[in-house]
Amino acid sequence: MVLRWLFGTKKEAQPMIKKLSVQETHDLVNAGAVLLIDVRQPNEWADGRPQGSLGVTLQDPEYVAKVDQLAGGNKNAALVISCKAGPRAENAANILLAAGFTDIAVMTGCW
């Protein structure tokens, strides 16, 4: 009992951000197994977006709230985050982890 008080209880493992290839992402989107979120700017969407993606720019002050709405309020919803090169997607995924989302992947590579 004293040790538990001193050291706390065993912490649960933090969710990790998975990495998915473009093909893996495409297959999961087509199967309806994930939500694909494109975090680029709207002017970048004019160049095209991954098939089945939903645009929620990372710079939107309501980014987390909009993703939460798309996920139906389900913090365990399977989400894949994409951008053009990867760094924004990683940042966006970390923001979602901090907000309590648990099943997050980043699409690697260009679509």
Side-chain angles (χ1 to χ4, degrees):
M1 185 73 134
V2 172
L3 291 177
R4 188 175 291 162
W5 177 77
L6 285 173
F7 298 105
T9 58
K10 185 177 177 182
K11 291 186 178 183
E12 292 187 31
Q14 294 290 347
M16 294 187 62
I17 298 171
K18 302 172 208 81
K19 309 268 187 200
L20 296 175
S21 70
V22 174
Q23 186 61 54
E24 289 170 318
T25 300
H26 177 75
D27 293 345
L28 289 168
V29 169
N30 284 342
V34 299
L35 289 174
L36 176 58
I37 309 293
D38 184 347
V39 296
R40 295 176 302 140
Q41 294 288 336
N43 63 322
E44 294 176 283
W45 298 336
D47 295 335
R49 294 201 338 225
Q51 181 181 351
S53 69
L54 305 165
V56 183
T57 183
L58 179 58
Q59 284 72 25
D60 187 328
E62 298 295 318
Y63 167 70
V64 172
K66 287 181 179 181
V67 172
D68 189 51
Q69 183 179 23
L70 290 170
N74 180 3
K75 299 282 191 194
N76 298 314
L79 305 173
V80 179
I81 311 300
S82 74
C83 67
K84 187 167 184 166
R88 277 182 287 184
E90 289 277 345
N91 188 23
N94 281 312
I95 290 168
L96 293 174
L97 275 179
F101 289 87
T102 62
D103 193 1
I104 302 172
V106 170
M107 183 175 80
T108 60
C110 287
W111 44 266

